[in-house]
Amino acid sequence: MAPFVRRTWSPCGKTPWLYQKTRSHKKVSIIAALCISPCRSHLRLFFRLHPDTNINADVVVSFLKNLLKELRGPIIIVWDRFVPHRSNKVQALLNKNPRLHLSFLPPYAPELNP
């Protein structure tokens, strides 16, 4: 919720310090899925905004259930090791739905970080 800063000036050799005065402590959590068709001709984005809340296992399960309703065929999910992604509720949903295939990103891969 902070304003974007695109450019600033400072004397040569001095690091600029930018201060922001705000009383806003708002936040927005987002859960999203980027869907690419097998022939790569269609691209779709599904997302949900959750203002002033955190993403938990119930939110992940609800999102995946809605994704199953919207998409046909197998669904390959690639995500990080966020705690709600690894919860028992999500694992139970994955076990019940053979259309969902899961792949975790490595916990640390400096060779993939540009």
Side-chain angles (χ1 to χ4, degrees):
M1 297 299 189
F4 291 113
V5 176
R6 301 210 179 214
R7 184 180 305 167
T8 186
W9 297 90
S10 69
C12 188
K14 294 198 176 197
T15 302
W17 287 89
L18 302 172
Y19 297 99
Q20 174 186 336
K21 292 183 180 180
T22 180
R23 292 186 180 153
S24 174
H25 296 286
K26 295 180 181 179
K27 70 178 230 166
V28 176
S29 296
I30 300 171
I31 186 167
L34 181 64
C35 304
I36 305 168
S37 66
C39 60
R40 296 184 179 165
S41 61
H42 300 298
L43 183 68
R44 294 165 67 181
L45 175 67
F46 297 93
F47 69 95
R48 272 196 198 163
L49 303 175
H50 298 275
D52 296 322
T53 60
N54 293 322
I55 300 293
N56 58 22
D58 295 326
V59 171
V60 173
V61 167
S62 173
F63 185 77
L64 289 176
K65 284 181 180 178
N66 286 328
L67 204 58
L68 284 165
K69 291 178 188 175
E70 290 291 327
L71 301 173
R72 294 180 290 141
I75 300 171
I76 301 169
I77 300 170
V78 180
W79 57 23
D80 58 5
R81 297 176 184 272
F82 185 46
V83 175
H85 295 164
R86 297 178 284 127
S87 70
N88 292 334
K89 291 179 182 181
V90 173
Q91 292 303 318
L93 178 69
L94 293 171
N95 292 336
K96 283 177 28 180
N97 292 291
R99 290 177 46 207
L100 292 172
H101 304 282
L102 184 63
S103 178
F104 282 108
L105 293 171
Y108 179 70
E111 69 276 5
L112 300 178
N113 191 4

